[in-house]
Amino acid sequence: MPGEGGLVINKYEGVIKRYREFLPEIDDRHIITILEGNTPLIKACNLGKIINPVIEIYFKYEGLNPTGSFKDRGMTMAVSKAVSEGSKAVICASTGNTSASASAYAARAGIKSFVLIPEGKIATGKLSQALVHGAVVMQIQGNFDEALVITREIAKDYDVTLVNSVNPFRLEGQKTASFEIADELGAAPDYHILPVGNAGNITAYWKGYREYYDAGKIKKLPKMLGFQAKGAAPIVLNHIVKEPHTVATAIRIGNPASWQKAVAARDESGGLIESVSDEDILKAYALLASNEGIFCEPASAISLAGLIKLNGRGFFKKGAVCVLTLTGHGLKDPGNAIKVSKEPVVVPCNKNSVLKVMGLK
Ligand code: F0G
């Protein structure tokens, strides 16, 4: 399309229009988009030297979606479908990001949003998003798993659309991240590493890679490597965790809705799902921010913590291409960033004092 001054503008219109042939049908007039997707795949330039110089590490930086997380890819599809079916309200349980995304897309669609979050257990940025987008925010005196049970029951009996990842349209939208990665690399990576919470995203990525493979767009499939936090690792432990706990509040989940699908993604791909400690999550979080200039939230940093763990036991062969999904932006959770960092220095207001701190005097 020619723009002003004769420039050719390649207009980006969001994931639904870009990957329409692989997505459920939807009429143009029902598409609700905030131009999600099209996120950068960033090659590590310093961490390789520190971790393993003979593997290739890429970050799929999903924090750069409109509401700061990968949820937007699924939400454009789920809310568009809800609108096309005449729904006037959406509901979700959330550890924070789903509520931020659902409320933003509902605002865009001009419909209501109701969100249930575990009281005191979501990052400040995410809470502020749901509030400012006008959701009815309910802080439940329970955890995510309990809130999800309530929302499922309400959506079954009342005229309100559930937009958690048990809504199949969510996973349809989220699988577009695999397409983008494959399009950019010209192939699937050898390994795809990502956090596992309610287990929707690992399911969606695997579905996306498989569909691209079946369509002949890629010649091989990646191994899916999922990571849970030690205190919230039901899939690893193979039992429900009644009281999950982790600093990575986004994945503080003890009974994932897509449990079996995540296990299938793991097994069909020849991958694994393991856990890492909060301490290692926070180390990876600080390492990434201070070496690559990429700020993600703690739950996202589990991808890097997982890679470091596996690398420590010689898991990766020379030349292995690893893509790590960084699921959410670091600014959502500034409290943890400040906790893992040095305190700012208080300095008297004069040049000499500043120079002293700079080590120049
Ligand atoms: N990373 C972040 C930043 C998340 O917010 C979530 C899930 C995950 C990873 C895990 O993805 O659930 O598909 O396995 N957050 C949900 C929410 C549960 O409510 O925002 P998953």
Side-chain angles (χ1 to χ4, degrees):
M1 188 190 301
E4 258 178 78
L7 261 174
V8 174
I9 299 166
N10 222 344
K11 200 169 164 218
Y12 179 71
E13 296 181 283
V15 295
I16 295 182
K17 287 204 179 163
R18 179 160 180 198
Y19 291 111
R20 204 159 210 168
E21 59 187 302
F22 291 95
L23 294 173
E25 239 176 84
I26 182 110
D27 206 275
D28 268 10
R29 71 202 152 97
H30 292 135
I31 294 177
I32 306 297
T33 177
I34 319 178
L35 305 189
E36 59 297 312
N38 201 21
T39 56
L41 185 67
I42 308 170
K43 193 166 185 183
C45 69
N46 297 314
L47 279 177
K49 282 171 237 146
I50 300 171
I51 299 169
N52 183 342
V54 299
I55 63 173
E56 283 182 42
I57 304 172
Y58 295 87
F59 301 105
K60 181 66 171 163
Y61 193 17
E62 290 289 276
L64 294 188
N65 273 295
T67 78
S69 87
F70 70 97
K71 306 284 179 180
D72 296 342
R73 293 178 184 277
M75 210 53 78
T76 183
M77 196 71 240
V79 172
S80 297
K81 272 288 177 187
V83 166
S84 77
E85 285 156 11
S87 174
K88 295 277 180 279
V90 294
I91 189 168
C92 67
S94 182
T95 56
N97 282 322
T98 300
S99 66
S101 186
S103 52
Y105 281 77
R108 185 90 169 172
I111 62 175
K112 275 195 186 147
S113 57
F114 299 98
V115 310
L116 278 68
I117 53 175
E119 188 188 19
K121 296 289 183 192
I122 84 164
T124 329
K126 303 174 189 179
L127 177 61
S128 74
Q129 288 178 287
L131 293 170
V132 83
H133 290 308
V136 175
V137 178
M138 291 167 257
Q139 305 211 60
I140 298 296
Q141 294 170 321
N143 62 34
F144 169 84
D145 305 293
E146 293 163 324
L148 184 58
V149 171
I150 299 172
T151 54
R152 290 177 93 149
E153 281 176 16
I154 292 174
K156 189 154 63 71
D157 296 335
Y158 296 86
D159 207 5
V160 37
T161 307
L162 184 66
V163 291
N164 279 102
S165 58
V166 290
N167 175 327
F169 298 120
R170 278 277 313 277
L171 301 189
E172 290 296 320
Q174 280 172 215
K175 75 186 180 190
T176 58
S178 304
F179 301 161
E180 288 178 14
I181 292 163
D183 285 346
E184 191 149 344
L185 293 176
D190 297 310
Y191 299 99
H192 192 110
I193 312 179
L194 78 175
V196 176
N198 209 28
N201 213 28
I202 189 170
T203 306
Y205 266 99
W206 180 236
K207 187 172 197 292
Y209 283 123
R210 272 190 2 241
E211 288 181 11
Y212 245 32
Y213 180 81
D214 291 342
K217 294 213 173 227
I218 48 177
K219 303 277 171 277
K220 62 168 173 90
L221 289 163
K223 291 190 187 333
M224 303 300 296
L225 311 178
F227 287 90
Q228 302 196 294
K230 271 242 156 73
I235 300 179
V236 181
L237 297 168
N238 204 23
H239 63 72
I240 291 171
V241 176
K242 277 249 155 60
E243 287 178 21
H245 59 88
T246 168
V247 67
T249 50
I251 50 171
R252 185 175 162 268
I253 293 173
N255 186 11
S258 298
W259 189 322
Q260 290 319 318
K261 290 182 188 144
V263 166
R266 176 194 71 190
D267 296 345
E268 287 167 27
S269 74
L272 53 81
I273 297 178
E274 294 194 7
S275 62
V276 290
S277 66
D278 277 7
E279 196 189 339
D280 288 344
I281 293 172
L282 290 179
K283 268 193 209 151
Y285 171 65
L287 195 71
L288 180 62
S290 58
N291 286 281
E292 298 289 354
I294 301 174
F295 189 20
C296 67
E297 60 173 289
S300 311
I302 202 172
S303 300
L304 182 61
L307 178 137
I308 293 171
K309 178 183 176 184
L310 297 181
N311 187 63
R313 59 178 200 241
F315 184 89
F316 300 107
K317 293 213 171 68
K318 193 176 170 199
V321 176
C322 306
V323 171
L324 285 64
T325 304
L326 301 178
T327 45
H329 202 291
L331 286 173
K332 284 174 174 275
D333 190 2
N336 272 310
I338 291 168
K339 259 190 230 153
V340 301
S341 308
K342 270 194 238 145
E343 273 191 40
V345 196
V346 178
V347 185
C349 190
N350 64 70
K351 189 165 89 186
N352 277 342
S353 304
V354 173
L355 284 170
K356 245 189 225 156
V357 176
M358 291 170 76
L360 296 176
K361 209 173 161 90

